Amino acid sequence: MRIVWFGFVVNTLFYAAIMWLLILGAFALRRVSRRKRGLCVACGYDLRGNLEHGCPECGWRREAAS
Ligand SMILES: [Zn+2]
Protein backbone atom coordinates (compact mmCIF):
# COMPACT_ATOMS: atom_id res chain seq x y z
CA MET A 1 0.00 0.00 0.00
CA ARG A 2 1.34 3.39 -1.06
CA ILE A 3 -0.24 6.78 -0.87
CA VAL A 4 -1.05 8.10 -4.34
CA TRP A 5 -0.05 11.70 -3.76
CA PHE A 6 -1.60 13.12 -6.90
CA GLY A 7 -4.96 11.50 -6.19
CA PHE A 8 -4.75 12.47 -2.54
CA VAL A 9 -4.16 16.14 -3.41
CA VAL A 10 -6.89 16.18 -6.08
CA ASN A 11 -9.41 14.59 -3.72
CA THR A 12 -8.51 16.98 -0.93
CA LEU A 13 -8.94 20.04 -3.14
CA PHE A 14 -12.14 18.64 -4.65
CA TYR A 15 -13.82 17.99 -1.30
CA ALA A 16 -12.54 21.25 0.13
CA ALA A 17 -14.16 23.10 -2.78
CA ILE A 18 -17.47 21.29 -2.20
CA MET A 19 -17.34 22.10 1.52
CA TRP A 20 -16.72 25.78 0.75
CA LEU A 21 -19.63 25.89 -1.69
CA LEU A 22 -21.93 24.32 0.93
CA ILE A 23 -20.83 26.77 3.62
CA LEU A 24 -21.05 29.83 1.38
CA GLY A 25 -24.40 28.63 0.06
CA ALA A 26 -25.75 28.26 3.62
CA PHE A 27 -24.68 31.81 4.49
CA ALA A 28 -26.16 33.20 1.27
CA LEU A 29 -29.45 31.36 1.88
CA ARG A 30 -29.63 32.72 5.43
CA ARG A 31 -29.12 36.30 4.16
CA VAL A 32 -31.74 35.88 1.44
CA SER A 33 -34.32 34.37 3.80
CA ARG A 34 -33.75 37.09 6.42
CA ARG A 35 -34.10 39.80 3.79
CA LYS A 36 -37.36 38.25 2.58
CA ARG A 37 -38.78 38.18 6.13
CA GLY A 38 -37.75 41.80 6.77
CA LEU A 39 -35.06 40.90 9.30
CA CYS A 40 -31.57 42.39 9.66
CA VAL A 41 -29.27 40.35 7.41
CA ALA A 42 -26.42 40.68 9.91
CA CYS A 43 -28.05 39.74 13.25
CA GLY A 44 -31.64 38.71 12.46
CA TYR A 45 -33.29 41.57 14.39
CA ASP A 46 -36.85 42.22 13.22
CA LEU A 47 -36.79 45.43 11.16
CA ARG A 48 -40.35 44.88 9.93
CA GLY A 49 -39.16 45.10 6.33
CA ASN A 50 -37.57 48.52 6.83
CA LEU A 51 -34.13 47.54 5.56
CA GLU A 52 -33.25 50.96 4.09
CA HIS A 53 -32.69 52.57 7.50
CA GLY A 54 -30.35 49.89 8.78
CA CYS A 55 -30.40 47.96 12.03
CA PRO A 56 -30.54 49.63 15.49
CA GLU A 57 -29.40 46.40 17.17
CA CYS A 58 -26.06 45.74 15.47
CA GLY A 59 -25.53 48.89 13.39
CA TRP A 60 -25.79 47.15 10.04
CA ARG A 61 -26.08 49.76 7.25
CA ARG A 62 -26.24 52.50 9.88
CA GLU A 63 -23.13 54.50 8.95
CA ALA A 64 -24.70 56.08 5.87
CA ALA A 65 -27.99 56.97 7.60
CA SER A 66 -26.68 58.76 10.69
ZN1 LIG B 1 -28.71 43.81 12.98
Side-chain angles (χ1 to χ4, degrees):
M1 282 289 275
R2 281 191 327 118
I3 297 174
V4 182
W5 284 107
F6 179 72
F8 177 72
V9 169
V10 168
N11 275 351
T12 303
L13 291 176
F14 182 69
Y15 288 112
I18 288 176
M19 284 298 293
W20 266 110
L21 282 178
L22 285 176
I23 291 168
L24 291 178
F27 275 106
L29 270 180
R30 198 176 62 167
R31 274 211 310 275
V32 167
S33 81
R34 275 182 180 172
R35 194 178 283 268
K36 267 186 189 162
R37 286 180 296 161
L39 308 181
C40 172
V41 295
C43 71
Y45 181 75
D46 187 2
L47 300 175
R48 306 201 179 275
N50 193 6
L51 297 173
E52 297 86 51
H53 293 98
C55 175
E57 272 302 295
C58 70
W60 171 77
R61 208 186 254 183
R62 269 278 154 138
E63 302 83 27
S66 59

